[in-house]
Amino acid sequence: MKTFRFVAGAAAVCVLIALLVANTCMFVVHERDQVVVTRLNKPVHVIVGDRAPEQFEPLKTEILHAARRTGEGAEKLKISMGAGIYFKAPFADTVERFPDVLMTYGVEEEAVVLADKKTLVVDNFARWRIENPLLFRISVRTITGANGALDDVIYSAVREELGRNDLTEVIRTTNKHVGTDVPATTDAPEDLEALNTMSDEITLGREKIMNSVTKRANDRTLTQYGIRVVDVRIRRADLLPENFQAVFGRMSAERSRISRGYRSEGQKQAEIIMGGTDRQVQVIRANAEREAAMMRGEADAEAIRIFAEAFSSNPELYSFVRSLEVLEESTPPGTEAILSADSGLFRLLKEGAARAD
């Protein structure tokens, strides 16, 4: 029994010793980490995050170059890639971890003088990551130190690139003028010329300018701090109060030129529509009058034909009816007429009455 207890206790002690040794000899690198292992404050092992093979080899060269440049013992430096379990010398090696993620830094608002002498208050931000953990450790060591370095580098790049361009280049990304698509048929040369020249054509635009800012900043941070600047963008840009009135006046003049172009085009289209409508009315009226004349002629011809047939079939009846019509037309209602006995009309009435009896 005592022997069993002794063996169990010894096994437990061995397990504890093994765990302690494993804890001091091994460490885990996570997918979101990069590691620099130092021995007596000298780097001996650099572990970077996952990279494509064509990206890892140039990075490996840059890390070795940084080690040689700073005298950190490049000959004995080991460089690995990817997450996993790694070994280190117990008690002698120290593991320093750095994030392998994309980080965002908001640069402080700064006033920038543009090429056209306008002052723009720019609020921008940058997205960055640690590309070379060894150089990062040597130069800035911490995220706070990196933010301070980025602030200087990015502001310098923004000031230089924006200072080469005027306000139109900085705020616009395309030569398309919103709301100025006046039809090509506009018959107002002066207004069209004003519309076509109302805004300066850009050669770069904000997108290309900020790409240049990103490249300029990245070239400096990558070689000095091991930081890759992925993107620099303007969050907000404001003019100083003294520039507002000048810009507002220019915008008002541009809108006035646009409105004149639209009014001119509207008047032209109205005249075209009115002229076409008048022509259509004249054509419709002429066609209607022609058809009416044809219908009246046909009706008169039909009436003549009917009268002719009636006269030829019963001349006496026709003569009697015509006499009555003449009498009705010649004597208003209530008129008393005296007819002589030898009057043709009296004779006709007398004969008609006799026939009725």
Side-chain angles (χ1 to χ4, degrees), residues 124-244:
N124 50 29
F125 67 93
R127 290 181 292 179
W128 62 281
R129 63 180 301 168
I130 300 173
E131 183 75 9
N132 186 335
L134 177 61
L135 184 57
F136 182 87
R137 175 188 177 275
I138 295 170
S139 56
V140 294
R141 300 190 69 87
T142 64
I143 301 300
T144 302
N147 287 337
L150 285 171
D151 190 66
D152 294 336
V153 173
I154 292 175
Y155 173 65
S156 176
V158 169
R159 186 181 65 245
E160 291 180 13
E161 290 296 332
L162 267 61
R164 298 176 180 177
N165 298 276
D166 57 22
L167 181 63
T168 304
E169 294 280 352
V170 173
I171 64 176
R172 287 174 52 192
T173 58
T174 176
N175 281 320
K176 181 179 180 181
H177 307 303
V178 179
T180 61
D181 297 330
V182 179
T185 57
T186 301
D187 189 16
E190 295 181 358
D191 290 337
L192 272 181
E193 183 178 358
L195 285 172
N196 292 333
T197 60
M198 63 172 229
S199 295
D200 299 333
E201 297 293 327
I202 63 173
T203 56
L204 294 176
R206 185 178 67 248
E207 188 73 20
K208 291 183 178 179
I209 292 174
M210 297 314 296
N211 289 341
S212 298
V213 171
T214 301
K215 183 179 183 304
R216 178 182 290 272
N218 182 67
D219 290 343
R220 182 175 171 185
T221 58
L222 195 59
T223 56
Q224 293 184 3
Y225 310 114
I227 295 173
R228 178 174 295 280
V229 177
V230 178
D231 197 13
V232 178
R233 285 292 176 263
I234 294 176
R235 182 186 292 114
R236 181 178 178 181
D238 292 326
L239 288 169
L240 293 178
E242 52 266 27
N243 297 132
F244 285 164

Side-chain angles (χ1 to χ4, degrees), residues 287-300:
N287 291 336
E289 291 177 353
R290 185 180 69 252
E291 292 178 1
M294 293 174 61
M295 293 176 66
R296 284 195 297 269
E298 292 175 356
D300 291 342

Side-chain angles (χ1 to χ4, degrees), residues 55-73:
Q55 295 176 335
F56 177 64
E57 290 302 325
L59 177 59
K60 185 176 179 180
T61 302
E62 292 175 5
I63 293 174
L64 292 174
H65 178 69
R68 294 190 190 97
R69 188 177 58 188
T70 56
E72 296 291 343

